[in-house]
Amino acid sequence: MGKCGNNSLLLYNSSDDDLCKSDYSKVTKWISLLEMIGIISLNLAVIILLARRDKQSRMTFFVQHLAVADLCVGLLYVMPECIFDRFLERWEKHSCFIFYGYFTNLVINASTFLILVLTVDRVFVIVRPVSSYTTGKTYRYGLIISAWSVAVLIAIPYAMHITYYYSSKDGIDGYICRHNFGNGIYAVVVGEVFISIVIPVCVITVSYVWMIRVIWQREKATNFMTLNQPRLSKGSANINPQTIRVNQTTVISRAKKKTIKLLLVVVIVYISSTAPLNIAQILSVYDLIKPGSTIYKFLHVLAPVNSLMNPLVFLVFNKQMFSQKRGLGNHTCT
């Protein structure tokens, strides 16, 4: 891409040749490499560990597919960028069109939409527990396919506006790989903010308010049943069916609370890693900051960190599940 090549979605004239040769450029290069290794290795670990389980819950099913999407982020986004943009410092023509032109946006959006799928499924399980247990593979794979299909469609305009050309202006001496939306860049950036931040945050906020409300109401009802149920004498052979229902509700409620906490952490990590770059893009479009600035490039390098944190969060929350034998510990995720 040349020694001062740009790999952002925005167009700008960069004459900051010294920056490309600075120690900062070397730092981002190695950060990108470590990010790539972490994303690929951790997501492979999650996929393999979940695949080895004798029985998979619906939660682990969706987590495994999220790990697949994040693995694709590492293989189809971070790896090509690390190789061509960070180390070789120039994009090869076909890699520019295939990876940077199309797959970069495809896998990033797929990871985002699968987080939303996880959230929607949690709402379904909490609000309609009986109906959720009767759903089969059609429902689950339908959600997964829908997420990937929308990501595929959204990535098409990016593939249609990719350019690869030689430039010797503004300190650039080499081939440049970038998206060229012309005057439509304003609409593209606003659209990215809505797809990456506004819509996910709205969906997640409504979902969590709904789930917390339902759980609170059920716990209130369960406490009322517990206080009013007849006590059994010690050593009694009779079993109160109402006691069994209360105990089962408590166990299920605890398991679902844990999965909600896990998902909440994943969502917080996603927003904290995605929002800064989107905000920087908006500011750069309106000339409030320079797209070629150090902070902008640093945020761009850290943008895929969400795909690194997702498997890490899951492994931390479920470390006891993997310390047990295969087929055990399935109560961890429901």
Side-chain angles (χ1 to χ4, degrees), residues 72-124:
C72 290
V73 171
L75 294 174
L76 301 178
Y77 170 20
V78 183
M79 181 184 289
E81 183 181 75
C82 183
I83 294 173
F84 295 106
D85 191 38
R86 308 296 175 189
F87 284 87
L88 298 181
E89 296 185 341
R90 67 179 297 272
W91 280 85
E92 187 271 332
K93 182 177 181 180
H94 295 92
S95 300
C96 170
F97 284 101
I98 295 172
F99 293 106
Y100 183 62
Y102 183 72
F103 281 112
T104 291
N105 297 280
L106 168 61
V107 294
I108 286 292
N109 287 325
S111 178
T112 300
F113 297 150
L114 284 170
I115 291 176
L116 293 182
V117 163
L118 262 171
T119 306
V120 170
D121 181 67
R122 287 298 90 190
V123 174
F124 187 37

Side-chain angles (χ1 to χ4, degrees), residues 64 96 164 178 205 269 288 325:
Q64 190 173 30
C96 170
Y164 184 80
R178 62 175 58 164
T205 300
V269 170
L288 297 178
K325 295 181 180 181

Side-chain angles (χ1 to χ4, degrees), residues 123-315:
V123 174
F124 187 37
V125 171
I126 298 296
V127 177
R128 295 286 185 268
V130 177
S131 300
S132 66
Y133 285 118
T134 60
T135 57
K137 292 183 178 180
T138 302
Y139 161 79
R140 298 184 184 185
Y141 282 103
L143 287 178
I144 299 298
I145 293 173
S146 297
W148 278 99
S149 298
V150 175
V152 167
L153 293 175
I154 292 177
I156 292 177
Y158 291 91
M160 296 173 62
H161 290 84
I162 189 69
T163 59
Y164 184 80
Y165 60 95
Y166 182 85
S167 176
S168 58
K169 297 180 179 180
D170 301 314
I172 300 174
D173 186 17
Y175 286 93
I176 298 175
C177 176
R178 62 175 58 164
H179 291 100
N180 187 353
F181 291 98
N183 294 330
I185 187 63
Y186 298 95
V188 171
V189 171
V190 172
E192 285 182 353
V193 172
F194 269 88
I195 293 173
S196 301
I197 301 296
V198 177
I199 294 176
V201 168
C202 290
V203 171
I204 290 166
T205 300
V206 172
S207 299
Y208 270 95
V209 170
W210 197 355
M211 285 188 289
I212 292 172
R213 180 174 177 271
V214 170
I215 290 176
W216 180 79
Q217 288 178 340
R218 287 179 182 170
E219 285 187 341
K220 186 177 179 180
T222 300
N223 292 334
F224 177 80
M225 292 171 61
T226 303
L227 292 174
N228 291 275
Q229 65 181 357
R231 294 185 179 181
L232 298 177
S233 59
K234 187 175 181 180
S236 175
N238 297 323
I239 299 177
N240 189 344
Q242 190 178 35
T243 303
I244 296 177
R245 286 195 299 270
V246 170
N247 292 335
Q248 288 178 340
T249 302
T250 303
V251 172
I252 293 173
S253 178
R254 288 175 182 173
K256 289 178 179 177
K257 281 182 181 179
K258 182 173 182 178
T259 59
I260 291 174
K261 290 178 181 178
L262 185 153
L263 184 57
L264 179 61
V265 174
V266 169
V267 169
I268 292 174
V269 170
Y270 167 77
I271 295 174
S272 61
S273 62
T274 306
L277 180 60
N278 281 273
I279 294 173
Q281 285 183 326
I282 293 177
L283 295 177
S284 64
V285 167
Y286 292 98
D287 297 325
L288 297 178
I289 64 171
K290 184 180 178 181
S293 63
T294 301
I295 184 63
Y296 186 93
K297 290 188 175 183
F298 185 71
L299 290 173
H300 182 78
V301 172
L302 295 182
V305 76
N306 175 64
S307 296
L308 173 66
M309 296 303 298
N310 284 344
L312 188 61
V313 169
F314 182 79
L315 291 172

Side-chain angles (χ1 to χ4, degrees), residues 2-6 12-22 24-25 169-173 290-297:
K3 294 187 176 180
C4 283
N6 172 32
Y12 67 93
N13 295 322
S14 175
S15 58
D16 200 358
D17 186 61
D18 292 336
L19 177 62
C20 297
K21 298 179 181 179
S22 66
Y24 167 78
S25 181
K169 297 180 179 180
D170 301 314
I172 300 174
D173 186 17
K290 184 180 178 181
S293 63
T294 301
I295 184 63
Y296 186 93
K297 290 188 175 183

